[in-house]
C-alpha cells in the first residue's frame, strides 16, 4: 500500500506541474479520512534548482531520500522539451534505480521524457502532452506512445498528459491504492472531478465550428444524479433538446467519448462507492446504478477494473473511514 512519496526536481522543472503532485500527495487531509503520506521533494546537489517559471526553489531533501519511496513522481520539464537534455545523469540514474527496486514511477506531462532517457519506456505504453507525443515517439522509438489519452497506467509506470491530466493520474493512483471514496475525498478538497472521461482529443486545437447548443455540462450533472434511469442516447438527447444524431456528435466533441462509454463509467464509479460504503448486495448495487443485474455489473467491473465487485469490496471497504 502506498505510504511514501518522493518528487524529483531539477533545473528547468515546471512549477505548476510540481505543484500538482505536491497538492495531490503532500497535503494533510487526514481530517477527511485520507491517509497521511510520508512526502518529500528531492533535488540533486545543493538542493537548489531553477524552475521554468523564473524563480528558484530549495528542496528539503537530497536524491538519497528517493530510495525510501513507494512512488516516485517526475514533474514536467520546461514547456519546450529542450530542457530535457539538461537533466543530469544523477537525476536519470536516481529514477532508474527507483524503478529497478520496484518503486512505482509517475510522470506529469513532459516528465515522460526523463523516463525515456532512463530507458524506462522501452516497450511500455505511455503518453505525454498532445503537443509532444510525436517528439516522444521520435526520440524514444521503442516507447509505445498513446497520444489520445489523459494518462496511461502501465503497472509500474504511470504517465500523464498536460497539467490537469497529472491530477487525473494522481487521483487514479489514490483510487487504486485506497479506493474510490478516498480518491473522491482528495478530489473534493481540490474542487476537481474525481475522474474525468474522454481523452486529449477534446483539447487538441482545431478549427472553430458552428455550435448549435450550449455546453452539455448541465446534462452531465443531471445524468450523474439519475444513473438508475434510462440514459440511452435517445433519452439523453431528449433531455438535451437535441436530435439523437446531433447529440451524439456534440457529446463526443465535448467529452472525447461516447454517451454509452460515459454513462457506463459513471455507473461503475457509483458502484465503487456503494461497494465501499454500503452493505447492499451486488444485485442491489447493480440496480441502484442502472444496470440490468449482477451479471452485467460483474462483466463491466471485470472488464474495466480487472476484478470482481466482491473482490473490490473486500479490498477497499475496510480502508475507508
Amino acid at each position: 500500500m502506498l505510504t511514501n512519496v518522493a518528487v524529483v526536481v531539477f533545473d528547468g522543472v515546471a512549477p505548476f506541474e510540481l505543484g500538482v503532485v505536491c497538492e495531490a500527495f503532500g497535503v494533510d487531509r487526514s481530517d477527511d479520512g485520507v491517509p497521511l503520506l510520508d512526502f518529500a521533494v528531492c533535488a540533486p546537489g545543493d538542493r537548489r534548482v531553477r524552475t521554468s517559471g523564473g524563480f528558484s526553489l530549495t528542496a528539503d531533501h537530497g536524491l538519497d531520500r528517493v530510495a525510501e519511496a513507494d512512488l516516485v513522481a517526475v514533474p514536467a520539464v520546461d514547456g519546450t522539451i529542450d530542457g530535457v537534455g539538461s537533466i543530469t545523469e544523477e537525476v536519470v540514474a536516481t529514477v532508474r534505480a527507483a524503478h529497478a527496486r520496484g518503486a512505482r514511477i509517475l510522470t506529469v506531462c513532459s516528465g515522460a521524457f526523463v523516463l525515456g532517457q532512463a530507458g524506462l519506456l522501452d516497450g511500455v505504453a505511455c503518453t505525454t502532452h498532445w503537443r509532444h507525443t510525436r517528439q516522444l515517439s521520435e526520440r524514444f522509438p521503442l516507447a509505445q506512445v498513446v497520444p489520445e489519452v489523459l494518462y496511461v497506467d502501465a503497472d509500474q509506470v504511470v504517465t500523464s498528459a498536460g497539467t490537469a491530466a497529472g491530477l487525473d493520474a494522481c487521483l487514479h493512483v489514490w483510487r487504486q491504492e485506497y479506493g474510490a471514496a478516498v480518491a473522491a475525498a482528495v478530489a473534493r478538497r481540490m474542487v476537481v472531478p474525481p475522474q474525468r472521461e474522454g481523452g486529449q482529443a477534446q483539447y487538441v486545437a482545431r478549427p472553430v465550428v458552428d455550435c448549435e447548443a450550449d455546453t452539455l455540462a448541465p446534462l452531465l450533472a443531471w445524468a450523474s444524479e439519475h444513473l438508475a434511469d434510462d440514459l440511452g442516447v435517445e433519452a439523453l438527447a431528449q433531455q438535451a433538446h437535441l436530435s439523437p444524431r446531433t447529440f451524439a456528435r456534440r457529446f463526443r466533441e465535448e467529452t472525447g467519448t461516447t454517451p454509452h462509454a460515459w454513462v457506463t463509467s459513471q455507473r461503475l464509479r457509483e458502484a465503487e462507492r456503494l461497494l465501499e460504503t454500503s452493505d447492499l448486495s451486488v444485485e442491489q448495487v447493480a440496480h441502484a446504478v442502472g444496470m440490468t443485474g449482477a451479471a452485467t455489473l460483474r462483466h463491466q467491473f471485470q472488464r474495466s477494473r480487472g476484478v470482481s465487485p466482491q473482490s473490490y469490496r473486500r479490498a477497499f471497504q475496510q480502508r475507508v473511514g
Side-chain angles (χ1 to χ4, degrees), residues 104 153 158 171-179 316 319:
R104 204 171 189 189
D153 182 350
V158 180
L171 290 169
H172 168 72
V173 171
W174 271 114
R175 192 178 305 110
Q176 280 193 324
E177 294 288 336
Y178 289 99
F316 292 116
R319 298 187 188 183

Side-chain angles (χ1 to χ4, degrees), residues 118-246:
L120 303 182
L121 297 183
D122 293 354
V124 174
C126 58
T127 196
T128 187
H129 192 287
W130 60 267
R131 296 186 68 177
H132 307 315
T133 51
R134 182 175 178 180
Q135 290 171 287
L136 188 66
S137 294
E138 291 174 349
R139 187 168 297 191
F140 308 109
L142 296 181
Q144 298 175 2
V145 181
V146 187
E148 65 274 13
V149 297
L150 296 175
Y151 61 86
V152 175
D153 182 350
D155 191 21
Q156 200 179 341
V157 173
V158 180
T159 51
S160 62
T163 303
L167 278 177
D168 294 320
C170 292
L171 290 169
H172 168 72
V173 171
W174 271 114
R175 192 178 305 110
Q176 280 193 324
E177 294 288 336
Y178 289 99
V182 168
V186 175
R188 193 176 302 114
R189 284 278 289 268
M190 293 191 291
V191 199
V192 298
Q195 185 173 333
R196 289 190 297 160
E197 310 307 327
Q200 294 196 70
Q202 57 193 306
Y203 304 108
V204 177
R206 64 191 71 194
V208 176
V209 297
D210 291 337
C211 182
E212 301 173 1
D214 295 331
T215 176
L216 294 176
L219 172 71
L220 301 185
W222 175 86
S224 297
E225 298 296 323
H226 295 80
L227 294 175
D229 294 355
D230 173 15
L231 297 181
V233 171
E234 291 191 1
L236 290 172
Q238 184 176 7
Q239 184 72 22
H241 306 294
L242 296 170
S243 70
R245 171 181 269 183
T246 300

Side-chain angles (χ1 to χ4, degrees), residues 2-8 21-22 24-26 37-42 61 65-66 68-73 104 106 173-174:
L2 179 66
T3 61
N4 193 308
V5 179
V7 186
V8 177
V21 180
C22 293
F25 297 114
L37 304 179
D38 191 348
F39 180 84
V41 177
C42 311
H61 301 272
R65 168 63 176 75
V66 177
E68 304 173 19
D70 308 313
L71 175 70
V72 177
R104 204 171 189 189
L106 180 148
V173 171
W174 271 114

Side-chain angles (χ1 to χ4, degrees), residues 23 27-36 174 178-191 276 319-321:
E23 177 70 19
V27 175
D28 183 353
R29 299 184 177 92
S30 54
D31 56 338
D32 285 332
V34 177
L36 178 62
W174 271 114
Y178 289 99
V182 168
V186 175
R188 193 176 302 114
R189 284 278 289 268
M190 293 191 291
V191 199
E276 292 179 10
R319 298 187 188 183
V320 182

